[in-house]
């Protein structure tokens, strides 16, 4: 699984994970919580990545309306460890199935968004005012402002045992780390991640987690 975060059109913040289950065997829940405090990626309710909204990121932290689309896309020329693993088209056709899409938030009107001042504060955005304010306010309830201790422990387990690439320690792309790269990432031995990046055959039976009930969102 590859995650990335784009703000104002700027990305380059990829992190890659293998799974603690076989993702082809059954449906799983993939979700994103996004507000002005943080962005959290979750798998089956378990947080795997959190990006805190901080001033050091400036416009690189997402602040514009979000869209969603789903497709089958061949990114093997770069997304699979720099193109090491190519799609084998003899197994085509490839099929992706989705169900139970749920979305909550304020509806964005692109026409109104274009009329807003660039200096306007996020909370004053026209598309988040009435009649959608109740949905906007709901995502700023206390339970959505920060991860609790159990969620943090679950995320630490995933990042320690299943994350094999982070832009924060890619010295080729970023000789000077980006401002949000912190000791949380550095605490995971880089040599361990390098070994994971070379080892691309996951063993879904070798990892068991006690955090299956860690969902709080």
């Amino acid at each position: 699984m590859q995650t990335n975060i784009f703000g104002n059109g700027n990305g380059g913040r990829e992190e890659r994970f293998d799974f603690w289950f076989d993702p082809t065997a059954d449906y799983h829940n993939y979700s994103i919580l996004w507000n002005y405090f943080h962005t959290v990626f979750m798998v089956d309710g378990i947080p795997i990545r959190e990006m805190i909204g901080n001033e050091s990121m400036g416009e690189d932290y997402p602040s514009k309306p979000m869209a969603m689309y789903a497709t089958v896309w061949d990114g093997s020329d770069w997304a699979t460890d720099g193109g090491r693993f190519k799609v084998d088209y003899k197994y085509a056709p490839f099929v992706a199935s989705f169900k139970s899409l749920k979305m909550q938030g304020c509806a964005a009107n692109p026409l109104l968004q274009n009329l807003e001042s660039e200096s306007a504060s996020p909370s004053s955005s026209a598309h988040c005012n009435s009649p959608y304010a109740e949905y906007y306010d709901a995502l700023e309830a206390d339970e959505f402002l920060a991860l609790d201790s159990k969620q943090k422990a679950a995320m630490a387990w995933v990042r320690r045992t299943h994350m094999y690439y982070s832009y924060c320690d890619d010295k080729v792309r970023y000789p000077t780390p980006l401002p949000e790269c912190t000791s949380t990432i550095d605490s995971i031995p880089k040599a361990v991640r390098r070994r994971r990046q070379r080892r691309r055959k996951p063993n879904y039976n070798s990892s068991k987690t006690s955090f299956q009930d860690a969902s709080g969102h």
Side-chain angles (χ1 to χ4, degrees):
M1 180 176 181
Q2 174 165 296
T3 66
N4 199 354
I5 291 180
F6 283 79
N8 203 36
N10 299 319
R13 290 173 161 86
E14 296 91 347
E15 288 188 346
R16 298 176 188 142
F17 304 80
D18 55 30
F19 288 114
W20 52 96
F21 54 83
D22 181 352
T24 69
D26 201 354
Y27 285 97
H28 290 267
N29 294 319
Y30 304 93
S31 52
I32 300 173
L33 167 67
W34 168 51
N35 57 31
Y36 294 105
F37 299 93
H38 60 173
T39 299
V40 185
F41 293 83
M42 290 171 278
V43 178
D44 291 339
I46 300 175
I48 67 170
R49 178 180 183 179
E50 179 185 33
M51 175 72 76
I52 302 294
N54 59 67
E55 293 183 357
S56 66
M57 291 184 65
E59 293 185 346
D60 284 352
Y61 185 79
S63 61
K64 295 182 178 180
M66 177 190 295
M68 178 178 177
Y69 66 92
T71 184
V72 176
W73 170 63
D74 179 5
S76 60
D77 59 336
W78 67 275
T80 54
D81 298 348
R84 287 180 59 202
F85 306 96
K86 303 292 186 181
V87 171
D88 190 341
Y89 282 94
K90 74 179 182 182
Y91 294 106
F94 303 108
V95 178
S97 300
F98 305 91
K99 67 178 183 179
S100 302
L101 172 64
K102 297 180 181 179
M103 302 182 72
Q104 181 177 2
C106 55
N109 185 326
L111 297 178
L112 292 177
Q113 181 70 19
N114 291 337
L115 294 175
E116 290 178 358
S117 168
E118 291 294 331
S119 62
S121 63
S123 60
S124 67
S125 297
H127 62 272
C128 284
N129 290 335
S130 181
Y132 304 110
E134 61 178 303
Y135 300 109
Y136 178 72
D137 293 340
L139 295 178
E140 291 194 345
D142 289 345
E143 63 180 306
F144 297 122
L145 301 188
L147 300 179
D148 61 29
S149 59
K150 194 170 187 179
Q151 291 171 320
K152 290 179 180 178
M155 184 172 68
W157 173 82
V158 172
R159 298 178 70 79
R160 184 175 63 252
T161 59
H162 292 281
M163 185 177 75
Y164 67 90
Y165 172 84
S166 173
Y167 70 101
C168 278
D169 51 48
D170 191 331
K171 302 303 182 184
V172 174
R173 296 175 65 193
Y174 302 106
T176 301
L178 295 180
E180 70 274 8
C181 294
T182 67
S183 58
T184 301
I185 297 226
D186 293 336
S187 65
I188 306 170
K190 294 180 176 61
V192 173
R193 283 201 293 279
R194 285 195 292 269
R195 287 198 298 270
R196 292 176 188 162
Q197 193 157 4
R198 291 193 295 267
R199 176 197 48 126
R200 300 301 300 127
K201 186 178 180 181
N203 180 1
Y204 299 115
N205 295 320
S206 63
S207 298
K208 301 296 183 182
T209 174
S210 60
F211 297 109
Q212 295 298 331
D213 60 345
S215 174
H217 293 323

